[in-house]
Amino acid sequence: MSPDSLLPGCAKDEMQHRRDICVAGRWMYEQGYNVACEGNLSVRLEDDRILTTPTCMNKGMLAPEDLVVTDLDGRQLAGDRRFSSELAMHLLFYRMRPDVNAICHAHPPTATGFAVAGRALDLACLPEVIVGLGRIPLVRYATPGTPELSAALEPFVPHYDALLLANHGAVTCGPDLLTAFFRMETIEHFAKITLAAEMAGNPILLSSREVAKLMAARSRYFVTPPPGGGAELPVTSDVSESGEHVRLTRTELEALIDEAVRKDRSRR
Ligand SMILES: [Zn+2]
């Protein structure tokens, strides 16, 4: 296998998984999803052993022998280095989702900007994102690497393949590492497009009817939704128009308030 390739599927031996993690780590670093020693990746090996990246190392410069193996309870089984405290988040997915064999965690700057601004990536803007991920919810803030973060994540894990972590970053899962990595790419790309659309004007959202058609077409695109079902749908144009969700910029809100105040004064 070339050092630049990363093939889908998980019928690989441990050395191939080690190489895959090094390749995906380098891709994430080169795309600016992580800097310094941020982020972590993992893959489920046979017998529920977890192969993961070490703490305090740049994820773009890893060698296969730097990786660590643990069990599902986070007990170290192999490797000279120490795993990240953020592995707890990965283990939660592996315990709750038998369909998940790989996790990517990163701090991609635009998506993390939404997470810092307290915003989910939940607008029904782009068909590919709706088909592939539905909406990307925002998980409330908890200190990274603590049981509190796992508790905050737990209600979302059965229902979503990609999550934003408030004031922190993003986490994606998949049946294999390539899929989990693509989901991280999709989050960041979607965040950039949402931001560009908001800078260019007001994003025009798809209707509930269009979203329903896309969700119904998932099997045609070989998309397997998370087994928990019940994921919330993205915010659509009709939901916005009905008044349930209205997004205003600060300037628009101030203009509305000014207008209301003016009308009120003119009546006196
Ligand atoms: Zn992190």
Side-chain angles (χ1 to χ4, degrees):
M1 191 176 85
S2 122
D4 287 320
S5 66
L6 200 162
L7 300 171
C10 47
K12 300 176 178 183
D13 65 24
E14 183 174 325
M15 184 45 83
Q16 286 171 314
H17 284 302
R18 285 176 180 263
R19 290 197 197 106
D20 280 0
I21 286 182
C22 296
V23 171
R26 200 177 70 239
W27 287 350
M28 292 217 289
Y29 180 60
E30 286 173 353
Q31 299 211 35
Y33 296 174
N34 290 313
V35 298
C37 298
E38 294 174 351
N40 27 76
L41 299 119
S42 68
V43 164
R44 193 200 303 255
L45 302 172
E46 278 179 5
D47 304 323
D48 272 342
R49 290 173 306 126
I50 306 303
L51 179 66
T52 186
T53 48
T55 190
C56 300
M57 282 192 79
N58 182 292
K59 305 308 176 293
M61 303 170 191
L62 293 174
E65 59 272 20
D66 292 325
L67 305 185
V68 177
V69 180
T70 76
D71 65 15
L72 270 188
D73 296 316
R75 279 184 290 263
Q76 188 151 347
L77 303 175
D80 297 330
R81 300 182 183 276
R82 182 77 192 144
F83 58 85
S84 163
S85 60
E86 290 190 312
L87 181 68
M89 180 166 67
H90 301 225
L91 297 176
L92 178 73
F93 274 88
Y94 292 126
R95 283 196 298 266
M96 295 184 77
R97 296 270 305 264
D99 60 310
V100 165
N101 292 309
I103 305 282
C104 289
H105 166 56
H107 306 157
T110 313
T112 303
F114 277 78
V116 170
R119 286 187 58 186
L121 286 165
D122 59 359
L123 300 182
C125 300
L126 297 173
E128 288 84 355
V129 177
I130 295 166
V131 168
L133 293 174
R135 73 154 65 188
I136 300 134
L138 177 70
V139 177
R140 72 179 153 79
Y141 178 77
T143 310
T146 63
E148 288 73 36
L149 180 56
S150 294
L153 275 161
E154 204 172 316
F156 294 93
V157 169
H159 312 290
Y160 298 93
D161 292 324
L163 297 166
L164 289 185
L165 310 173
N167 296 82
H168 182 173
V171 60
T172 59
C173 66
D176 54 66
L177 187 58
L178 190 62
T179 306
F181 172 77
F182 282 163
R183 287 174 174 161
M184 186 61 75
E185 269 196 319
T186 300
I187 287 187
E188 180 63 358
H189 197 60
F190 182 35
K192 284 180 182 167
I193 291 172
T194 303
L195 191 62
E198 290 181 347
M199 288 166 79
N202 272 331
I204 296 174
L205 307 185
L206 301 182
S207 66
S208 304
R209 197 184 168 84
E210 291 300 334
V211 168
K213 278 200 269 181
L214 291 168
M215 296 311 250
R218 280 179 142 189
S219 60
R220 253 195 290 130
Y221 296 102
F222 305 103
V223 173
T224 309
E232 273 192 68
L233 292 174
V235 177
T236 52
S237 57
D238 31 335
V239 171
S240 292
E241 282 157 17
S242 74
E244 282 179 58
H245 292 85
V246 176
R247 290 179 184 279
L248 295 174
T249 63
R250 189 180 187 87
T251 316
E252 287 166 342
L253 180 63
E254 283 169 359
L256 271 178
I257 293 170
D258 284 346
E259 191 188 332
V261 169
R262 255 199 322 277
K263 279 184 184 163
D264 184 61
R265 281 202 190 117
S266 66
R267 274 193 216 109
R268 285 186 211 160

